[in-house]
Amino acid sequence: MAISVADYRSLSARAIRDGIARADFSACEVAGAALAAIEAIDPRVHAFLEVTSKLAHEAAVRIDALRAKDQPLPALAGVPIGFKDNMNLLGTRTTCASRMLADYASPYTATCVGRSLAAGALPLGKLNMDEFAFGSSTETSCFGRTHNPWDLDRVPGGSSGGSAAAVAAGMATVSLGSDTGGSIRQPASFCGVVGFKPTYGVVSRYGVVAFGSSLDQVGPFGRSVADVATTLDAIAGRDPFDCTSQECATSFSAVLDAGVEGMRVGIIPAYLEAKGVEAEVVVALKGAMDRLERCGARLVEVELPNAKAALSAYYVIGPCEAFSNLSRFDSVRYGYRAPGARDLGDQYEKSRADGFGPEAVRRIMLGSYLLASGVYDTYYYPAQQVRTLITQDYHRAFEQVDALLAPVSPRTAFKFGELADPTAMYLSDIFTIPINIAGNGGMSLPVGRGEASGLPVGVQVIGPQFRDENIFRVAAALERCYPEIERLAPAVEGVEGGEA
Ligand code: GLN
């Protein structure tokens, strides 16, 4: 029996692996269905910047060979996966959706990518993003925007918009994104899928193009908490190539059935009354609070007095680190080289001016100013002090609770061009950025559609540092309270497809 495109799109990672193990279908048939889904759907969504059909088929052949020899199948055997295009994968370009790296061939494979492939996943390709991960809408990609599969006139969120949209549209079963200030959680919320940013250090950053090295963290997207847990199990853990990565002995998949009986879940009252938060977001959050309480969790009010300063600290620390990281794109060793330069100085200037888009230029200019002598005392040091205060807020909160429940974004997906003012865009990250500043893990979990907009809304589950299993317990319990939630976006339904 083969697998139809429609069936493929609704299967979980586990169901795909089990189906292959039972010989209901082969990994090659799964690869065929996934590539057919991309061919049918992606012209409308534009989640992919590069489709790696050959790599997907080669990986599928290896899984089918294991199956033929009755060997055990690894955890992600035959599971189609996509990678944000800031992750190196040998045999692909890694463009960061920038003209600067439009022709950049991955010189090696990032650890997170390599580990997913070692776990048997089928690489479908590279996914669209905001240029160098600067943004919240995927509108700054130099290769054109990605459309939200729930409403093609709206943004998918960002910066990992392609990663969220590919999963929501049923093209990829799971995907990887990166999150410096919300770039996994916010697009997950906008696209109605699960997205997880682990505690800083859980997943290696080796081979992922750096934005803010002290903030960046890789994490998975999926249509269920279980798929995200399986993917995280495959990619987490110490990597000798990233000295900030940590040993990880936890199986996140193993805690999903533990329930929340007796767990203390923190609520931040100030978040429920925060200005600029849409009513439907508050309604969704309150609904999740009620359901968790009914599952046996105890809700506890906690305060994060310094969290309101997180955005200000982030827009100092983030640009400073970005400025420093992006200085390597000098047109000599890395990056686009503009033609017709008079001398080396002119070459630097022209290449960087043409190679970077406006948002990247804004961040670089900001970072360069903030780090100028005489200026960094005024901004950079205080921002680091604020960072310590925020981190301490979370430590104190987690002395009282096992997890926190918060909004992801103050709103649901907006229309293209609606947040044209950069400051308005920056403000939309107020609930995600504090977690990156403190280094904790956070997950966006879909809890239905906004009552006013009809668009997906997520809630955020946050855990103590290196206790990400708490998040998975709470999220899995909460997910069971929402059995009715659709996980495939209707805007691209109608792709029934035949046998692949
Ligand atoms: N939207 C935030 C920014 O523009 C976060 C981006 C990210 O997490 N990569 O910086």
PDB file of all heavy atoms in Angstrom, residues 133-136 159 179-183 211 314-315 363 429, ligand 1:
ATOM      1  N   ALA A 133      17.519  36.380  10.275  1.00  0.00           N
ATOM      2  CA  ALA A 133      16.633  36.171  11.439  1.00  0.00           C
ATOM      3  C   ALA A 133      16.253  37.466  12.145  1.00  0.00           C
ATOM      4  O   ALA A 133      15.833  37.452  13.300  1.00  0.00           O
ATOM      5  CB  ALA A 133      17.236  35.168  12.435  1.00  0.00           C
ATOM      6  N   PHE A 134      16.382  38.598  11.454  1.00  0.00           N
ATOM      7  CA  PHE A 134      15.955  39.882  12.019  1.00  0.00           C
ATOM      8  C   PHE A 134      14.520  40.136  11.602  1.00  0.00           C
ATOM      9  O   PHE A 134      14.271  40.520  10.449  1.00  0.00           O
ATOM     10  CB  PHE A 134      16.804  41.035  11.478  1.00  0.00           C
ATOM     11  CG  PHE A 134      18.280  40.907  11.729  1.00  0.00           C
ATOM     12  CD1 PHE A 134      19.199  41.253  10.746  1.00  0.00           C
ATOM     13  CD2 PHE A 134      18.752  40.465  12.954  1.00  0.00           C
ATOM     14  CE1 PHE A 134      20.561  41.153  10.978  1.00  0.00           C
ATOM     15  CE2 PHE A 134      20.115  40.363  13.193  1.00  0.00           C
ATOM     16  CZ  PHE A 134      21.023  40.708  12.198  1.00  0.00           C
ATOM     17  N   GLY A 135      13.585  39.942  12.516  1.00  0.00           N
ATOM     18  CA  GLY A 135      12.208  40.261  12.164  1.00  0.00           C
ATOM     19  C   GLY A 135      11.216  39.320  12.788  1.00  0.00           C
ATOM     20  O   GLY A 135      11.574  38.332  13.430  1.00  0.00           O
ATOM     21  N   SER A 136       9.936  39.630  12.589  1.00  0.00           N
ATOM     22  CA  SER A 136       8.861  38.852  13.187  1.00  0.00           C
ATOM     23  C   SER A 136       7.790  38.520  12.158  1.00  0.00           C
ATOM     24  O   SER A 136       6.643  38.266  12.508  1.00  0.00           O
ATOM     25  CB  SER A 136       8.208  39.647  14.326  1.00  0.00           C
ATOM     26  OG  SER A 136       9.172  40.129  15.212  1.00  0.00           O
ATOM     27  N   SER A 159      11.123  35.094  13.035  1.00  0.00           N
ATOM     28  CA  SER A 159      11.783  34.981  11.752  1.00  0.00           C
ATOM     29  C   SER A 159      11.720  33.597  11.127  1.00  0.00           C
ATOM     30  O   SER A 159      11.960  33.467   9.920  1.00  0.00           O
ATOM     31  CB  SER A 159      13.255  35.391  11.895  1.00  0.00           C
ATOM     32  OG  SER A 159      13.943  34.489  12.736  1.00  0.00           O
ATOM     33  N   ASP A 179      15.599  30.701  17.506  1.00  0.00           N
ATOM     34  CA  ASP A 179      14.836  31.680  18.292  1.00  0.00           C
ATOM     35  C   ASP A 179      15.822  32.506  19.110  1.00  0.00           C
ATOM     36  O   ASP A 179      16.506  31.985  19.979  1.00  0.00           O
ATOM     37  CB  ASP A 179      13.866  30.890  19.203  1.00  0.00           C
ATOM     38  CG  ASP A 179      12.870  31.752  19.955  1.00  0.00           C
ATOM     39  OD1 ASP A 179      13.282  32.768  20.516  1.00  0.00           O
ATOM     40  OD2 ASP A 179      11.673  31.376  19.997  1.00  0.00           O
ATOM     41  N   THR A 180      15.891  33.800  18.787  1.00  0.00           N
ATOM     42  CA  THR A 180      16.789  34.726  19.479  1.00  0.00           C
ATOM     43  C   THR A 180      15.971  35.639  20.384  1.00  0.00           C
ATOM     44  O   THR A 180      16.442  36.097  21.414  1.00  0.00           O
ATOM     45  CB  THR A 180      17.572  35.549  18.429  1.00  0.00           C
ATOM     46  OG1 THR A 180      18.207  34.647  17.526  1.00  0.00           O
ATOM     47  CG2 THR A 180      18.612  36.455  19.060  1.00  0.00           C
ATOM     48  N   GLY A 181      14.727  35.901  19.942  1.00  0.00           N
ATOM     49  CA  GLY A 181      13.845  36.767  20.726  1.00  0.00           C
ATOM     50  C   GLY A 181      12.389  36.347  20.576  1.00  0.00           C
ATOM     51  O   GLY A 181      11.480  37.081  20.965  1.00  0.00           O
ATOM     52  N   GLY A 182      12.151  35.199  19.957  1.00  0.00           N
ATOM     53  CA  GLY A 182      10.771  34.747  19.770  1.00  0.00           C
ATOM     54  C   GLY A 182      10.539  34.066  18.440  1.00  0.00           C
ATOM     55  O   GLY A 182       9.413  33.663  18.115  1.00  0.00           O
ATOM     56  N   SER A 183      11.585  33.900  17.669  1.00  0.00           N
ATOM     57  CA  SER A 183      11.457  33.482  16.274  1.00  0.00           C
ATOM     58  C   SER A 183      10.979  32.062  16.034  1.00  0.00           C
ATOM     59  O   SER A 183      10.709  31.691  14.892  1.00  0.00           O
ATOM     60  CB  SER A 183      12.784  33.668  15.552  1.00  0.00           C
ATOM     61  OG  SER A 183      12.897  35.013  15.171  1.00  0.00           O
ATOM     62  N   PHE A 211      23.272  35.077  15.069  1.00  0.00           N
ATOM     63  CA  PHE A 211      22.655  36.410  15.136  1.00  0.00           C
ATOM     64  C   PHE A 211      23.116  37.013  16.465  1.00  0.00           C
ATOM     65  O   PHE A 211      23.985  37.884  16.492  1.00  0.00           O
ATOM     66  CB  PHE A 211      21.143  36.247  15.002  1.00  0.00           C
ATOM     67  CG  PHE A 211      20.245  37.373  15.469  1.00  0.00           C
ATOM     68  CD1 PHE A 211      18.855  37.244  15.326  1.00  0.00           C
ATOM     69  CD2 PHE A 211      20.719  38.540  16.027  1.00  0.00           C
ATOM     70  CE1 PHE A 211      17.990  38.258  15.749  1.00  0.00           C
ATOM     71  CE2 PHE A 211      19.849  39.558  16.450  1.00  0.00           C
ATOM     72  CZ  PHE A 211      18.497  39.407  16.323  1.00  0.00           C
ATOM     73  N   TYR A 314      17.087  43.820  25.228  1.00  0.00           N
ATOM     74  CA  TYR A 314      17.264  43.000  24.021  1.00  0.00           C
ATOM     75  C   TYR A 314      17.685  43.848  22.829  1.00  0.00           C
ATOM     76  O   TYR A 314      18.535  43.445  22.037  1.00  0.00           O
ATOM     77  CB  TYR A 314      15.950  42.271  23.716  1.00  0.00           C
ATOM     78  CG  TYR A 314      15.964  41.487  22.412  1.00  0.00           C
ATOM     79  CD1 TYR A 314      16.469  40.192  22.374  1.00  0.00           C
ATOM     80  CD2 TYR A 314      15.472  42.040  21.231  1.00  0.00           C
ATOM     81  CE1 TYR A 314      16.490  39.467  21.190  1.00  0.00           C
ATOM     82  CE2 TYR A 314      15.490  41.323  20.042  1.00  0.00           C
ATOM     83  CZ  TYR A 314      15.993  40.038  20.026  1.00  0.00           C
ATOM     84  OH  TYR A 314      16.009  39.329  18.848  1.00  0.00           O
ATOM     85  N   TYR A 315      17.065  45.017  22.679  1.00  0.00           N
ATOM     86  CA  TYR A 315      17.411  45.837  21.516  1.00  0.00           C
ATOM     87  C   TYR A 315      18.698  46.639  21.722  1.00  0.00           C
ATOM     88  O   TYR A 315      19.058  47.465  20.892  1.00  0.00           O
ATOM     89  CB  TYR A 315      16.218  46.693  21.067  1.00  0.00           C
ATOM     90  CG  TYR A 315      15.327  45.822  20.190  1.00  0.00           C
ATOM     91  CD1 TYR A 315      14.159  45.253  20.677  1.00  0.00           C
ATOM     92  CD2 TYR A 315      15.732  45.474  18.901  1.00  0.00           C
ATOM     93  CE1 TYR A 315      13.390  44.387  19.895  1.00  0.00           C
ATOM     94  CE2 TYR A 315      14.979  44.620  18.121  1.00  0.00           C
ATOM     95  CZ  TYR A 315      13.810  44.085  18.619  1.00  0.00           C
ATOM     96  OH  TYR A 315      13.077  43.225  17.841  1.00  0.00           O
ATOM     97  N   ARG A 363      20.116  47.048  12.145  1.00  0.00           N
ATOM     98  CA  ARG A 363      20.692  46.377  13.323  1.00  0.00           C
ATOM     99  C   ARG A 363      22.202  46.611  13.405  1.00  0.00           C
ATOM    100  O   ARG A 363      22.752  46.804  14.479  1.00  0.00           O
ATOM    101  CB  ARG A 363      20.434  44.872  13.264  1.00  0.00           C
ATOM    102  CG  ARG A 363      18.995  44.483  13.073  1.00  0.00           C
ATOM    103  CD  ARG A 363      18.214  44.430  14.363  1.00  0.00           C
ATOM    104  NE  ARG A 363      16.823  44.184  14.050  1.00  0.00           N
ATOM    105  CZ  ARG A 363      16.072  43.261  14.652  1.00  0.00           C
ATOM    106  NH1 ARG A 363      16.557  42.520  15.612  1.00  0.00           N
ATOM    107  NH2 ARG A 363      14.810  43.109  14.320  1.00  0.00           N
ATOM    108  N   ASP A 429       7.188  41.523  20.354  1.00  0.00           N
ATOM    109  CA  ASP A 429       7.939  40.425  20.979  1.00  0.00           C
ATOM    110  C   ASP A 429       8.005  40.523  22.493  1.00  0.00           C
ATOM    111  O   ASP A 429       8.825  39.845  23.120  1.00  0.00           O
ATOM    112  CB  ASP A 429       9.365  40.390  20.418  1.00  0.00           C
ATOM    113  CG  ASP A 429       9.396  40.004  18.956  1.00  0.00           C
ATOM    114  OD1 ASP A 429       8.586  39.158  18.546  1.00  0.00           O
ATOM    115  OD2 ASP A 429      10.230  40.551  18.217  1.00  0.00           O
TER     116      ASP A 429
HETATM  117  N1  GLN B   1      11.678  39.433  16.226  1.00  0.00           N
HETATM  118  C1  GLN B   1      12.888  39.486  17.002  1.00  0.00           C
HETATM  119  C2  GLN B   1      13.904  40.317  16.296  1.00  0.00           C
HETATM  120  O1  GLN B   1      13.588  40.860  15.325  1.00  0.00           O
HETATM  121  C3  GLN B   1      13.397  38.102  17.270  1.00  0.00           C
HETATM  122  C4  GLN B   1      14.030  37.492  16.101  1.00  0.00           C
HETATM  123  C5  GLN B   1      14.568  36.122  16.404  1.00  0.00           C
HETATM  124  O2  GLN B   1      14.211  35.490  17.402  1.00  0.00           O
HETATM  125  N2  GLN B   1      15.473  35.675  15.559  1.00  0.00           N
HETATM  126  O3  GLN B   1      15.014  40.448  16.695  1.00  0.00           O
END
